[in-house]
């Protein structure tokens, strides 16, 4: 035993097993976690995929914009052939250019929102025609289904475009209202019958699909401005006539709309032909848009509801709210007043708000660009949220809109406005 102990003492001690130094490529579990699937690598891959998606989306948007610009340019030259050489429309066109230039500071800000806000879903297809597209304005951070506004833009039946509704879409989305701005065929791409058909198809798409975008199919409102108010009113009345006669509610029903808001609209074309002619929308062109003089009556909502044969149709119509400025030179405010009287005589639920001293574009453009309180917008929002105190309170809590255009430029624009 002693010999064995002496032998062990004499032998050199066994070396402890050395732990190899960590190599630069090796990492601790905490460090290596960033390389495991589900963390850093996946994050970087997801970032690359999002960047690629945004690039594709941007290219698609540019492609759409280029295609639409080409289409609008081609249609503009076709329209010029209809107009010919006339000092009235040339004067109006030059005034329009100057008017747009003065409001450009606001337009640039609205365009930035339109193209770069993730709240705007552009060019959603609702039909087979080239202009059957719509834009959605989705309220930010919203939960639950939201009330919906279907907006039909104006543009003298010739230059309407869904993007014109960007400012209204933004203001309503800020107040918890989902907005769908419809595009439709303009003249000469289509005539009034095509426009009504497109708008009807757009309303049908919204009624049947809006829940997918966070909208409440039980709370849909129709809004039209200028020519858009006329087209929307035609669509509404003609749909009611069809339902009354054929009982057809296969695509959409008038009963699905809670109310119709008509802003600065014209509702009796028989009274407007000569008025438009004096202002540069020549009689021959206007009659071409309206499919001939014999069609003026059937595309005049005020005349249609006055017809004894369709008197029962009025009972199907939703609540109608009309807005008009007393200094409107493009479409006299008497159009809304007479439409109000006709509807009331037939037992319809209708209201009219007249704004003293307001022009054709004040209600829709200058006032929103001015910032501060917007009386017409407040009336629309109050009507939409009247049945939900919580939503009404949230809408009132929205900060007052800031000014987008200096006041002196707004006043000058009002003086040179062709509208």
């Amino acid at each position: 035993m002693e010999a064995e102990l002496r032998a062990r003492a004499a032998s050199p001690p066994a070396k402890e097993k050395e732990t190899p130094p960590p190599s630069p490529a090796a990492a601790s579990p905490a460090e290596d976690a960033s390389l495991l699937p589900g963390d850093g690598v996946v994050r970087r891959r997801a970032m690359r995929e999002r960047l690629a998606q945004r690039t594709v989306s941007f290219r698609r948007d540019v492609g759409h914009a280029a295609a639409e610009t080409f289409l609008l340019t081609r249609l503009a030259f076709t329209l010029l052939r209809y107009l010919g050489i006339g000092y009235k429309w040339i004067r109006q066109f030059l005034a329009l250019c100057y008017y747009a230039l003065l409001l450009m500071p606001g337009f640039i800000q609205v365009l930035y929102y339109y193209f770069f806000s993730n709240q705007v879903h552009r060019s959603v297809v609702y039909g087979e025609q080239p202009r059957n597209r719509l834009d959605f304005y989705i309220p930010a951070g919203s939960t639950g289904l939201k009330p919906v506004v279907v907006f039909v833009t104006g543009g003298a039946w010739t230059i309407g475009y869904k993007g014109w509704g960007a400012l209204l879409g933004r203001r309503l989305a800020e107040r918890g209202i989902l907005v769908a701005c419809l595009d439709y065929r303009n003249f000469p791409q289509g005539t009034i019958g095509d426009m009504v058909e497109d708008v009807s198809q757009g309303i049908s798409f919204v009624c049947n699909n809006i829940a997918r975008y966070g909208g409440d199919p039980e709370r849909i409102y129709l809004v039209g401005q200028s020519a858009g108010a006329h087209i929307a009113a035609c669509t509404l009345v003609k749909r009611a006539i069809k339902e009354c006669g054929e009982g057809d509610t296969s695509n959409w029903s008038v009963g699905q709309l809670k109310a119709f808001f008509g802003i600065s609209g014209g509702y009796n074309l028989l009274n407007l032909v000569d008025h438009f002619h004096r202002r540069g929308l020549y009689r021959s062109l206007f009659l071409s848009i309206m499919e001939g003089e014999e069609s003026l009556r059937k595309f005049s909502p005020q005349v249609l509801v006055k017809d004894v044969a369709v008197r029962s149709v009025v009972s199907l119509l939703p609540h109608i709210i009309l807005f008009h400025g007393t200094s409107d030179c493009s479409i006299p405010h008497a159009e809304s007043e007479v439409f109000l009287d006709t509807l009331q005589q037939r037992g319809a639920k209708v209201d009219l708000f007249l704004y003293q001293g307001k022009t054709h574009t004040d209600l829709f453009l200058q006032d929103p660009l001015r910032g501060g309180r917007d009386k017409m917008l407040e009336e629309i929002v109050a009507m939409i949220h009247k049945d939900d105190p919580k939503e009404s309170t949230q809408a009132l809590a929205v900060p007052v809109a800031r000014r987008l255009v200096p006041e002196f430029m707004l006043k000058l624009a009002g003086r040179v406005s062709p509208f």
Side-chain angles (χ1 to χ4, degrees):
M1 185 69 177
E2 291 179 1
E4 184 178 349
L5 290 174
R6 283 195 294 270
R8 287 182 181 178
S11 63
K15 289 185 179 181
E16 296 182 4
K17 187 176 181 180
E18 295 182 357
T19 303
S23 64
S28 66
E31 294 170 336
D32 193 55
S34 63
L35 299 179
L36 295 176
D39 200 350
V41 172
V42 174
R43 285 200 300 268
R44 287 194 291 271
R45 186 181 300 132
M47 289 177 64
R48 287 195 295 269
E49 290 176 354
R50 284 197 296 269
L51 182 60
Q53 290 174 355
R54 289 179 181 176
T55 302
V56 171
S57 177
F58 179 75
R59 288 175 179 171
R60 183 174 62 249
D61 290 341
V62 170
H64 284 159
E68 289 178 350
T69 300
F70 174 77
L71 175 64
L72 292 174
T73 302
R74 182 168 59 83
L75 292 174
F77 280 107
T78 305
L79 182 61
L80 285 175
R81 289 202 297 270
Y82 277 91
L83 288 169
I85 303 298
Y87 79 94
K88 288 182 180 179
W89 78 259
I90 293 176
R91 182 185 62 191
Q92 297 287 72
F93 176 74
L94 293 175
L96 174 62
C97 293
Y98 191 26
Y99 173 81
L101 184 64
L102 289 168
L103 300 183
M104 192 57 65
F107 290 164
I108 291 173
Q109 296 174 71
V110 174
L111 283 172
Y112 182 85
Y113 167 81
Y114 179 71
F115 283 108
F116 296 101
S117 173
N118 56 12
Q119 293 176 244
V120 184
H121 296 190
R122 295 179 300 278
S123 296
V124 176
V125 177
Y126 71 79
E128 298 179 354
Q129 296 298 326
R131 296 289 293 274
N132 288 174
R133 305 288 186 272
L134 60 82
D135 297 327
F136 282 122
Y137 296 81
I138 312 294
S142 60
T143 57
L145 297 179
K146 295 299 180 182
V148 181
V149 159
V150 179
F151 178 66
V152 186
T153 184
W157 302 275
T158 57
I159 59 171
Y161 179 63
K162 57 186 173 61
W164 300 166
L167 185 54
L168 178 68
R170 178 178 183 175
R171 293 288 181 254
L172 291 178
E174 290 171 348
R175 289 156 177 81
I177 300 169
L178 193 156
V179 181
C181 289
L182 299 183
D183 211 358
Y184 55 89
R185 283 171 285 179
N186 287 188
F187 186 82
Q189 190 179 24
T191 56
I192 184 62
D194 300 315
M195 301 175 202
V196 171
E197 180 184 342
D198 288 352
V199 169
S200 180
Q201 193 168 357
I203 295 173
S204 175
F205 177 88
V206 172
C207 288
N208 294 304
N209 296 277
I210 197 59
R212 293 163 45 195
Y213 297 89
D216 188 349
E218 301 297 323
R219 292 186 293 166
I220 299 177
Y221 299 80
L222 180 62
V223 180
Q225 187 264 337
S226 189
H230 165 256
I231 297 169
C234 280
T235 305
L236 194 62
V237 173
K238 285 182 173 294
R239 187 68 192 179
I241 292 173
K242 188 173 184 179
E243 289 181 23
C244 191
E246 304 174 11
D248 181 12
T249 58
S250 56
N251 296 321
W252 66 280
S253 170
V254 172
Q256 292 177 268
L257 303 180
K258 300 283 285 184
F260 165 61
F261 300 92
I263 305 170
S264 307
Y267 307 103
N268 188 344
L269 302 181
L270 296 169
N271 296 335
L272 292 172
V273 178
D274 293 333
H275 174 76
F276 287 150
H277 181 80
R278 290 191 295 269
R279 293 188 58 79
L281 185 56
Y282 299 127
R283 183 183 182 90
S284 59
L285 173 60
F286 185 69
L287 292 179
S288 296
I289 296 171
M290 298 302 160
E291 302 176 359
E293 191 167 1
E294 65 282 358
S295 295
L296 293 179
R297 296 183 65 85
K298 70 177 184 178
F299 289 109
S300 295
Q302 188 250 323
V303 175
L304 291 175
V305 299
K306 193 174 182 178
D307 190 338
V308 177
V310 295
R311 183 173 297 183
S312 58
V313 168
V314 178
S315 63
L316 299 179
L317 298 177
H319 187 188
I320 294 176
I321 304 97
L322 305 175
F323 302 96
H324 225 119
T326 59
S327 296
D328 191 333
C329 296
S330 293
I331 301 179
H333 66 274
E335 280 292 302
S336 290
E337 292 177 313
V338 175
F339 195 34
L340 170 81
D341 293 339
T342 303
L343 288 167
Q344 286 180 334
Q345 291 170 11
R346 296 297 182 272
K349 185 179 181 182
V350 58
D351 292 295
L352 171 62
F353 293 87
L354 289 178
Y355 296 89
Q356 294 298 320
K358 296 296 183 180
T359 66
H360 190 67
T361 54
D362 275 332
L363 299 178
F364 186 69
L365 274 180
Q366 282 97 299
D367 284 352
L369 291 172
R370 182 171 279 112
R373 292 190 59 187
D374 187 332
K375 292 183 179 180
M376 188 188 73
L377 181 68
E378 290 176 358
E379 292 289 352
I380 294 175
V381 172
M383 185 68 66
I384 293 175
H385 285 320
K386 68 176 182 178
D387 296 328
D388 193 323
K390 182 180 179 181
E391 288 182 343
S392 180
T393 302
Q394 292 174 345
L396 291 173
V398 174
V400 175
R402 63 183 181 84
R403 178 183 290 276
L404 300 180
V405 178
E407 184 63 25
F408 81 94
M409 297 180 74
L410 287 169
K411 289 183 177 179
L412 187 56
R415 291 180 181 179
V416 303
S417 172
F419 303 109

